Amino acid sequence: MTIQIERPATTPTLDVVKLGSHIGARIDGVRLSGDLSPEVVARIRAAVLEHKVVFLRGQDHLDDDAQIAFGELLGPLTTAHPTVNTGSARVLSLKATRGMAANSWHTDVTFVDKVPAFSILRGVTIPAYGGSTNWANTATAYDALPPQVKALVDDLWAVHSNDYDYAHSFDTEDRENLQYEREEFTRIIYKTEHPVVRIHPETGERALVLGHFVQHFSGLSSKESTALFNLLQDRVTRLENTIRWSWAEGDVAIWDNRATQHYAVADFDTQPREVRRITVQGDVPVGISGRSSRVIEGSSDLYTRLDELIG
């Protein structure tokens, strides 16, 4: 009689390859899906927390449903966007044919109180040249600040809003389409006051909360806010604190939205470019003093699907 010995399922060989001193790693040996083991998911999460952004090549098998299924392993998802209607309840299509991209440094959706924890971006249509994306580490940027500047920003707060100079972000003459897109983006106005320095809820790191959604610093004039904003943003986006990724179709980037900013480079002329994003729900930022962000205008309940959780 032949005895069948049941062997445990093998765990995929997951390799994390560091790409830069301060930010970025590539994960090899994983086929993303909703069926990954808890151990593999934990290793991916740990890599994102450590390196702030990770990249996976060759994930061509993913469609929207599979991307969502994987994302839900990291936590509950938000809706696609607080204001932009993309036709998908979960997936935001970032599509361009006019050389346009979100070519301004930002952290996703800081104009609401519950800033997303993770963003997962999938390359769908990639131009033959151009269209890369840059990320910056806002935790190492804070660590590198001189003590005198830390003393200034440790208890500083900033008002973030989606009602900002949208057209200024694009070098284009296509103002008619820009106006339509701005009206869609600002059809609901959000304003939230966040700490400039937040405590990361998982790592305990201190990270700067800035980017192009900042309108002004609380208690400072417009001129003072602009000068200080530029000083801090220059620290965030120093080249040594950044990484640049050249996309291929099927690539996936996963980043810690609580400790990064990113910038999509609009250098692909009129070639089509589409990447598709889902976001994992985050919490309300907490400053060094223990005080939490406060809503000034607009509720994030629909975006964070709170209506589904209590309905």
Side-chain angles (χ1 to χ4, degrees), residues 224-235:
E224 292 166 338
S225 292
T226 298
L228 181 56
F229 178 84
N230 289 335
L231 183 153
L232 295 173
Q233 274 293 128
D234 285 347
R235 288 279 181 163

Side-chain angles (χ1 to χ4, degrees), residues 132-160:
S132 60
T133 306
N134 296 267
W135 281 265
N137 186 334
T138 60
T140 55
Y142 173 82
D143 286 343
L145 291 176
Q148 299 87 340
V149 179
K150 286 183 179 177
L152 175 63
V153 301
D154 278 353
D155 195 32
L156 188 65
W157 292 71
V159 174
H160 296 237

Side-chain angles (χ1 to χ4, degrees), residues 61-205:
H61 62 281
L62 289 178
D63 56 13
D64 286 354
D65 289 341
Q67 185 177 1
I68 289 169
F70 165 70
E72 288 179 330
L73 297 178
L74 295 176
L77 302 184
T78 68
T79 60
H81 191 272
T83 61
V84 177
N85 180 9
T86 64
S88 170
R90 300 287 180 266
V91 181
L92 179 66
S93 171
L94 299 164
K95 186 182 296 186
T97 57
R98 301 188 305 279
M100 294 170 60
N103 56 331
S104 182
W105 284 103
H106 65 287
T107 298
D108 283 337
V109 200
T110 58
F111 47 84
V112 303
D113 57 338
K114 298 180 182 68
V115 178
F118 302 109
S119 293
I120 304 168
L121 193 66
R122 175 175 117 246
V124 177
T125 303
I126 303 302
Y129 57 84
S132 60
T133 306
N134 296 267
W135 281 265
N137 186 334
T138 60
T140 55
Y142 173 82
D143 286 343
L145 291 176
Q148 299 87 340
V149 179
K150 286 183 179 177
L152 175 63
V153 301
D154 278 353
D155 195 32
L156 188 65
W157 292 71
V159 174
H160 296 237
S161 178
N162 59 325
D163 187 13
Y164 76 107
D165 188 1
Y166 189 81
H168 182 71
S169 298
F170 300 106
D171 182 17
T172 179
E173 297 179 356
D174 195 355
R175 299 300 171 187
E176 182 177 344
N177 280 314
L178 274 178
Q179 180 61 28
Y180 170 79
E181 290 172 12
R182 186 186 189 282
E183 289 173 357
E184 178 78 358
F185 193 80
T186 60
R187 61 187 179 87
I188 303 172
I189 298 298
Y190 294 90
K191 289 185 180 180
T192 302
E193 187 184 46
H194 289 300
V196 173
V197 184
R198 72 171 295 178
I199 304 298
H200 194 290
E202 295 190 65
T203 67
E205 295 173 300

Side-chain angles (χ1 to χ4, degrees), residues 23-24 69 71 115 147 185 197 207 215 226 255 261 299:
I23 185 171
V115 178
F185 193 80
V197 184
Q215 282 195 333
T226 298
W255 66 93
Q261 291 183 26
S299 170

Side-chain angles (χ1 to χ4, degrees), residues 199-263:
I199 304 298
H200 194 290
E202 295 190 65
T203 67
E205 295 173 300
R206 297 182 179 187
L208 294 169
V209 186
L210 294 165
H212 70 200
F213 294 119
V214 171
Q215 282 195 333
H216 65 273
F217 295 114
S218 302
L220 300 186
S221 69
S222 176
K223 182 178 180 180
E224 292 166 338
S225 292
T226 298
L228 181 56
F229 178 84
N230 289 335
L231 183 153
L232 295 173
Q233 274 293 128
D234 285 347
R235 288 279 181 163
V236 171
T237 60
R238 288 181 60 197
L239 290 181
E240 293 80 1
N241 195 46
T242 67
I243 188 166
R244 183 166 180 162
W245 185 254
S246 295
W247 290 91
E249 292 183 7
D251 285 359
V252 170
I254 309 168
W255 66 93
D256 187 345
N257 195 59
R258 300 159 296 187
T260 57
Q261 291 183 26
H262 57 281
Y263 182 116

